[in-house]
Structure formats: C-alpha cells, structure tokens
Amino acid sequence: MGHPGSNNIGSRLEVQQGDITQLQVDAIVNAANSSLLGGGGVDGAIHRAAGPRLKEYNRTLGGCDTGDARISPGFDLPARHVISTVGPVWKGGQQKEDELLKSCYKRSLEIAVQNHVRTIAFPCISTGIYGFPFTSASKIAVDTIYTFLRQNETIEKVILVAFSNEDFYSLKEIVSNQLKK
Ligand code: AR6
C-alpha cells in the first residue's frame, strides 16, 4: 500500500509478457486501423479471439481518427470490452507522431473511465506494422499512463503487454527509470 497522497502509481502499472487476447481484464486495447474492421498484428489476433461479432459491431461505429479511440464489447474474449485506438504510422517523427501516440493512450483511458473500467491492458501501440521506434513509443506510453493515473483514482491496474522477450525487458527498464523521476 502507498502512503496517503502517493496515489500508488508504481503498483498500478504492470508490465507483462504474452498474448493480450488471453487477459481477463475489464478492457483490452487494440492497435487498430481507422476502419476498425480488423487487420494484421494484434488487431488480427483480437478479432480472431473475439469472434466475428466484433467486426459486425464495429461496422456500426463508422471508423475512428488517428489518436482517438472507440469501445466495443469483448464478445468471445475473456476481457469485457475492447477499446480500439488508431496509432500513428511512423513517418520519421515530424508528422505529429508523438502527440498522436500520446493521444491514443489518453483517449483510451478516458473512454475506459467513462465505461467503469478498472483494469485495462495495452499492447505497444504503433510499434509493429506502423513502425514507431519501440523505445520512444514505450516512453510515451509509460509517461502518458503515469500522468493519467496521478489524476485518476478509478483505474486500479494498467497492464502494458510486451509480445516478445526483448520488448518485455526493455519495457521493464523504461518503467523503472520513469518511476525514479
Ligand atoms: N498480444 C500483445 N501484443 C501483440 C500481439 C498480441 N497477441 N500481437 C502483436 N503484438 P501491431 P501497429 C504487439 O503491428 O504497429 C494492423 O494491421 C507487436 O509486437 O499489431 O499499431 C492494424 O489493423 C507490437 O509491439 O500494431 C493496423 O493496420 C504491438 O503489438 C496496424 O496493424 C503493435 O503491433 C497497426 O499497427
């Protein structure tokens, strides 16, 4: 337990390695594209695990802008909801990529709170097919999540999910460095 006023930041952000589709949390976040109708990477895995109703449901949402997010039921997933966010495609760093990535985490957390989500898991948005360099993307993720947790008490647990072993260790290091700040 943290002391009063500490808001327990350190214990509310956890890094895990594995497949996000297996997690039994209130919401998992999807690194989607603006159609919200599925794709490769984690998006493909989430759509396969949620079943075809996710795509049917998402058709009714009418897409999503880069940096924004939408919520859907989890259907066949162990998670209750899927929050789909659209990360920026890395174009060298001068096309507002940092700002848009930050907005993905912020908007996903805002939508989570509006929907009474207390436990939420994120993949490392934009770091696969969209090509955002992993270290800078992870720093933005951790920074934005900590800032949000400091201002919000309803989210109990945020899990950052690394797919590979290498990503797991690099995320762990970024989290511990960030906490010292
Ligand atoms: N669980 C957790 N993380 C995963 C999983 C999984 N099952 N599978 C992949 N990752 P990506 P993006 C990691 O490419 O870069 C799709 O086609 C992966 O190692 O899934 O935001 C969409 O439709 C990486 O660290 O998403 C879009 O068109 C991270 O998830 C586009 O890809 C994100 O990689 C989005 O690209």
Side-chain angles (χ1 to χ4, degrees):
M1 292 296 282
H3 46 82
S6 75
N7 206 356
N8 255 342
I9 295 300
S11 62
R12 289 162 72 203
L13 175 59
E14 196 179 295
V15 178
Q16 284 186 19
Q17 186 188 357
D19 178 3
I20 200 169
T21 66
Q22 305 294 310
L23 297 182
Q24 203 170 343
V25 284
D26 292 337
I28 61 171
V29 176
N30 185 13
N33 60 60
S34 58
S35 77
L36 305 180
L37 301 180
V42 72
D43 192 10
I46 289 174
H47 274 269
R48 274 193 299 280
R53 286 178 296 167
L54 179 59
K55 187 172 173 178
E56 280 165 37
Y57 183 90
N58 282 1
R59 275 191 210 288
T60 69
L61 299 178
C64 180
D65 290 339
T66 303
D68 205 353
R70 295 287 182 273
I71 192 164
S72 319
F75 298 108
D76 297 342
L77 287 165
R80 278 205 289 133
H81 306 278
V82 175
I83 295 175
S84 299
T85 188
V86 184
V89 176
W90 180 258
K91 293 175 183 157
Q94 301 301 309
Q95 305 296 316
K96 297 195 160 72
E97 292 95 330
D98 286 12
E99 196 182 304
L100 289 165
L101 187 62
K102 185 174 176 169
S103 172
C104 287
Y105 286 94
K106 189 162 179 275
R107 287 295 300 133
S108 297
L109 288 163
E110 284 169 358
I111 287 170
V113 168
Q114 285 160 11
N115 288 274
H116 314 291
V117 163
R118 292 178 175 279
T119 54
I120 180 168
F122 284 90
C124 300
I125 296 157
S126 284
T127 66
I129 294 161
Y130 281 178
F132 208 119
F134 190 83
T135 305
S136 43
S138 306
K139 283 183 184 156
I140 291 168
V142 173
D143 223 27
T144 311
I145 292 167
Y146 275 147
T147 301
F148 192 90
L149 290 179
R150 282 196 190 93
Q151 293 158 3
N152 171 283
E153 305 210 329
T154 64
I155 302 274
E156 289 165 9
K157 179 78 78 188
V158 177
I159 302 170
L160 260 176
V161 182
F163 203 42
S164 71
N165 211 36
E166 191 191 335
D167 289 354
F168 175 73
Y169 288 109
S170 113
L171 261 183
K172 289 284 270 188
E173 195 181 324
I174 288 161
V175 167
S176 67
N177 287 338
Q178 209 80 13
L179 255 187
K180 288 179 207 145
K181 285 186 182 167

